[in-house]
Amino acid sequence: TTDQRRAIEFLKDKSGTHILMGSTADAPSYEASRFGQGLLTYSLLAGLSGAALQKPSNLVDVRTLFDYAEKEVPNLAKDIGGIQRPTIASPTGKTFV
C-alpha cells in the first residue's frame, strides 16, 4: 500500500541501536499484579496508547517513548513502595517515529 511505501522510504536511512532496560543489572525491575505486567512494559504501553504520541499525527518517536517510560516507571514503583530507574542507551542512530 501507499502507507507502507511511505514508511519504508522514511525509515530506509534510519538505523542504529536504541536500548531501554527496566533497571541496571544490580537494581530491581518490578512486576506488579496491580498493573498486570512489569512497570516498564506498563509505561511503554501507556505511552503507545496516547501518553507519548505526537499530536496531531498520533505517531510515536522512539526517544520520546523511552523518555516517557524513564519518567513514569519511578512514579509507578513509588506507588508500590519500590524504587526502579530505567536505563536508556542510544549508542548509535537517531530517533525516529
Side-chain angles (χ1 to χ4, degrees):
T1 68
T2 303
D3 288 340
Q4 289 171 329
R5 285 189 200 113
R6 274 191 282 156
I8 290 169
E9 181 63 28
F10 178 77
L11 291 173
K12 74 179 177 68
D13 297 323
K14 309 288 186 199
S15 65
T17 304
H18 300 275
I19 302 164
L20 176 62
M21 296 164 281
S23 65
T24 59
D26 60 347
S29 184
Y30 295 103
E31 292 198 19
S33 57
R34 176 177 175 184
F35 300 113
Q37 61 239 334
L39 304 185
L40 180 61
T41 301
Y42 184 84
S43 68
L44 290 170
L45 291 172
L48 291 170
S49 296
L53 295 180
Q54 297 175 353
K55 304 295 183 215
S57 65
N58 283 336
L59 297 175
V60 67
D61 174 270
V62 170
R63 189 57 197 227
T64 301
L65 178 62
F66 283 14
D67 288 345
Y68 172 80
E70 183 180 40
K71 291 175 186 158
E72 187 65 18
V73 168
N75 296 329
L76 297 172
K78 187 177 181 180
D79 286 347
I80 63 167
I83 297 172
Q84 181 176 338
R85 291 187 182 93
T87 302
I88 299 173
S90 295
T92 61
K94 296 179 181 174
T95 191
F96 56 90
V97 293

